[in-house]
């Protein structure tokens, strides 16, 4: 079994930036790359240099400013792509070329109109081209999730022999179930004789909402690199979300894995990416959604106010979130109401709260959320009634 460090390969600036509307200019990409380095990611996939002059420039500029992380550029299994990626990365302190080809029969026949033998040779060739230009080469077997395991093992053995130092097993279409993806990684661990010469990487898409679960299944079966994005951005339904993987590994420390990520920066970086890419984060998104630490039902609020651990498995400070919130709605109970009144400076006994709660429910049924201003108004009316009585 390899060491228990899980390398975090961030592809927000490549797979994430492919999302319609999320295109970034070079300045914005540099800002995010620097923040990713500060967060502690091990590898930053900065772009796909041959895809456009703008992307070449971004990779080139990022390569110049990043000090510790490996800067990676994507290419197809095409010599020109690989040369252009190497050119864009020439000023990096540590660089990686990420090259590869589709290995499923869907890709071999449908995309390349080719056969398994020819694709195997192209895979070997692209790794050799890249190895002539840099020592750090990652090979991706696109659509590995739907690739026959026996053939995949042959390809992986051959590309490692050709010099690949990381082998990426993408579930490109997000098709696998966690046990299937885990078994695929276990199969490669057991059947590829030279697998100890390379790191296995998971690159999972979220078409069935399983990207994070699949990546964790991959790690539990021997993968030691996870490719992910901030806020889970990426093609179609997105990629594995960086913040989810990091916090699963942290919360389940009994599993023995660790990453170098400084979790307190997760929420600030999520906001930076969301603002820069003009892509809002869904409120119920794990770790970084605005509701991730909000409690709104009476049962939950009562438990949370007695002991936060009853309904929170993560302390919001640990991930740089604004803090836990008690949202007052028509589903809230008396303890949450009393708590909020107390915070606003109103001390009420149980009888007061019983009366105020009836008034509160009338407001709550009219509004989605009861604001502090509404409570102050209720308190004012209650005082007047008390004086008159
Ligand atoms: O999803 C995928 O297979 C990819 C590869 C290019 C790594 O993004
Ligand atoms: Zn992808």
């Amino acid at each position: 079994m390899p060491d228990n460090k899980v390398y975090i390969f961030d592809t927000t600036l490549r797979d994430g930036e492919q999302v319609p509307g999320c295109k970034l200019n070079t300045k914005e990409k540099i800002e995010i790359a620097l923040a990713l380095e500060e967060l502690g990611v091990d590898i930053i996939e900065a772009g796909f240099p041959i895809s456009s002059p703008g992307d070449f420039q971004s990779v080139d500029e990022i390569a110049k400013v990043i000090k510790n992380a490996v800067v990676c550029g994507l290419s197809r299994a095409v010599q020109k792509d690989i040369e252009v990626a190497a050119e864009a990365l020439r000023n990096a302190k540590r660089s990686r070329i990420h090259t590869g080809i589709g290995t499923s029969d869907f890709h071999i026949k449908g995309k390349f109109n080719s056969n398994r033998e020819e694709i195997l040779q192209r895979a070997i060739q692209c790794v050799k081209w890249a190895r002539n230009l840099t020592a750090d080469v990652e090979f991706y077997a696109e659509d590995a999730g739907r690739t026959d395991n026996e053939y995949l093992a042959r390809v992986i053995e051959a590309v490692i022999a050709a010099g690949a130092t990381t082998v990426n097993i993408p579930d490109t279409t997000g098709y696998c179930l966690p046990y299937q993806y885990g078994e695929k990684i276990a199969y490669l661990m057991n059947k590829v004789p030279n697998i100890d010469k390379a790191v296995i990487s998971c690159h999972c898409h979220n078409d069935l909402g399983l990207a994070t679960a699949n990546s964790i299944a991959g790690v539990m079966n021997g993968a030691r690199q996870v490719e992910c994005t901030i806020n889970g951005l990426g093609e179609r339904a997105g990629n594995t979300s960086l913040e989810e993987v990091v916090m699963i590994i942290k919360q389940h420390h009994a599993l023995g894995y660790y990453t170098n990520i400084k979790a307190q920066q997760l929420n600030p970086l999520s906001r930076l990416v969301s603002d820069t890419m003009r892509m809002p984060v869904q409120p119920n998104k794990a770790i970084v959604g605005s509701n991730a630490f909000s409690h709104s039902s009476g049962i939950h609020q009562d438990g949370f106010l007695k002991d936060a651990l009853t309904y929170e498995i993560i302390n919001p400070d640990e991930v740089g979130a604004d803090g836990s919130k008690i949202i007052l709605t028509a589903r809230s109970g008396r303890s949450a109401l009393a708590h909020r009144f107390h915070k606003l400076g109103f001390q009420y006994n149980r009888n007061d709260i019983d009366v105020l709660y009836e008034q509160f429910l009338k407001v709550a049924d009219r509004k989605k959320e009861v604001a502090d201003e509404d409570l102050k108004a209720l308190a004012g009316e209650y005082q007047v009634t008390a004086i008159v009585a």
Side-chain angles (χ1 to χ4, degrees):
M1 246 318 139
D3 174 48
N4 279 346
K5 169 165 175 181
V6 176
Y7 288 85
I8 297 296
F9 175 117
D10 181 276
T11 183
T12 306
L13 299 177
R14 200 279 295 169
D15 219 321
E17 205 236 12
Q18 289 170 205
V19 173
C22 283
K23 168 115 189 39
L24 300 174
N25 61 36
T26 297
K27 189 165 164 280
E28 291 166 330
K29 279 195 154 197
I30 292 173
E31 188 186 6
I32 291 176
L34 288 170
L36 288 167
E37 169 151 79
E38 193 46 42
L39 179 74
V41 309
D42 300 286
I43 303 108
I44 298 171
E45 188 164 51
F48 183 5
I50 201 155
S51 65
S52 75
D55 219 34
F56 179 94
Q57 193 199 347
S58 297
V59 176
D60 183 33
E61 298 288 334
I62 289 169
K64 287 179 193 155
V65 298
I66 293 300
K67 293 189 179 69
N68 302 311
V70 173
V71 182
C72 176
L74 184 76
S75 71
R76 293 166 297 181
V78 173
Q79 191 168 11
K80 183 74 183 156
D81 277 36
I82 295 167
E83 287 168 358
V84 170
E87 171 71 7
L89 292 165
R90 71 197 178 288
N91 291 311
K93 303 242 170 352
R94 300 164 70 201
S95 65
R96 174 178 297 183
I97 294 178
H98 190 189
T99 188
I101 195 159
T103 52
S104 70
D105 290 333
F106 292 101
H107 282 231
I108 293 174
K109 299 204 173 80
K111 194 159 99 174
F112 301 116
N113 188 25
S114 184
N115 58 63
R116 288 185 177 185
E117 214 38 56
E118 211 173 274
I119 293 299
L120 175 65
Q121 295 312 318
R122 285 183 66 181
I124 296 168
Q125 182 58 256
C126 71
V127 170
K128 286 187 176 163
W129 283 325
R131 264 313 287 255
N132 282 337
L133 298 167
T134 177
D136 187 344
V137 174
E138 175 168 338
F139 173 81
Y140 63 85
E142 198 179 4
D143 204 17
R146 293 188 298 170
T147 299
D148 167 58
N149 281 351
E150 225 176 289
Y151 175 64
L152 184 62
R154 278 182 64 210
V155 173
I156 296 303
E157 181 181 349
V159 296
I160 295 174
T165 44
T166 302
V167 285
N168 180 8
I169 311 301
D171 185 22
T172 304
T173 56
Y175 178 73
C176 289
L177 294 170
Y179 85 91
Q180 292 169 326
Y181 189 75
E183 279 178 6
K184 193 173 278 290
I185 302 300
Y187 185 89
L188 296 175
M189 289 292 286
N190 293 326
K191 300 281 181 187
V192 174
N194 53 359
I195 198 71
D196 59 319
K197 306 273 183 307
V199 173
I200 299 184
S201 184
C202 309
H203 178 113
C204 298
H205 278 268
N206 207 28
D207 301 66
L208 292 173
L210 291 170
T212 299
N214 283 344
S215 299
I216 296 296
V219 169
M220 292 179 73
N221 283 280
R224 286 295 176 271
Q225 177 177 289
V226 174
E227 308 198 0
C228 42
T229 58
I230 300 291
N231 300 337
L233 291 167
E235 280 279 349
R236 306 182 309 281
N239 286 63
T240 302
S241 133
L242 182 150
E243 54 278 7
E244 292 171 12
V245 168
V246 166
M247 290 315 293
I248 289 169
I249 288 175
K250 203 153 186 262
Q251 289 303 111
H252 288 271
H253 46 83
L255 293 173
Y257 309 118
Y258 68 96
T259 73
N260 275 356
I261 299 298
K262 298 173 196 128
Q264 277 196 323
Q265 295 179 20
L266 289 172
N267 268 274
L269 186 46
S270 161
R271 277 196 291 273
L272 174 71
V273 168
S274 168
D275 292 347
T276 317
M277 289 191 163
R278 295 157 285 274
M279 179 58 68
V281 176
Q282 70 190 62
N284 57 323
K285 170 80 183 63
I287 323 292
V288 295
S290 56
N291 286 346
F293 300 99
S294 296
H295 306 275
S296 80
S297 91
I299 296 171
H300 288 215
Q301 290 172 338
D302 182 50
F304 172 79
L305 290 170
K306 288 173 178 150
D307 178 355
L309 292 178
T310 53
Y311 287 98
E312 275 185 0
I313 59 160
I314 298 170
N315 181 331
D317 294 341
E318 211 186 315
V319 292
D322 285 341
S324 309
K325 287 186 223 121
I326 295 282
I327 310 291
L328 293 179
T329 71
R331 305 291 155 261
S332 299
R334 288 170 175 76
S335 51
L337 183 65
H339 170 80
R340 181 65 64 82
F341 270 132
H342 181 75
K343 280 185 86 174
L344 293 173
F346 301 100
Q347 309 293 347
Y348 291 120
N349 62 29
R350 182 83 215 183
N351 289 339
D352 296 328
I353 287 295
D354 281 345
V355 178
L356 282 159
Y357 186 65
E358 296 310 314
Q359 302 309 311
F360 161 79
L361 284 181
K362 287 183 192 148
V363 179
D365 269 338
R366 282 202 313 270
K367 302 183 72 173
K368 282 193 172 145
E369 199 179 316
V370 179
D372 287 350
E373 293 315 308
D374 300 314
L375 294 189
K376 285 180 195 163
L378 282 183
E381 283 163 26
Y382 186 60
Q383 205 174 351
V384 171
T385 323
I387 291 165
V388 171

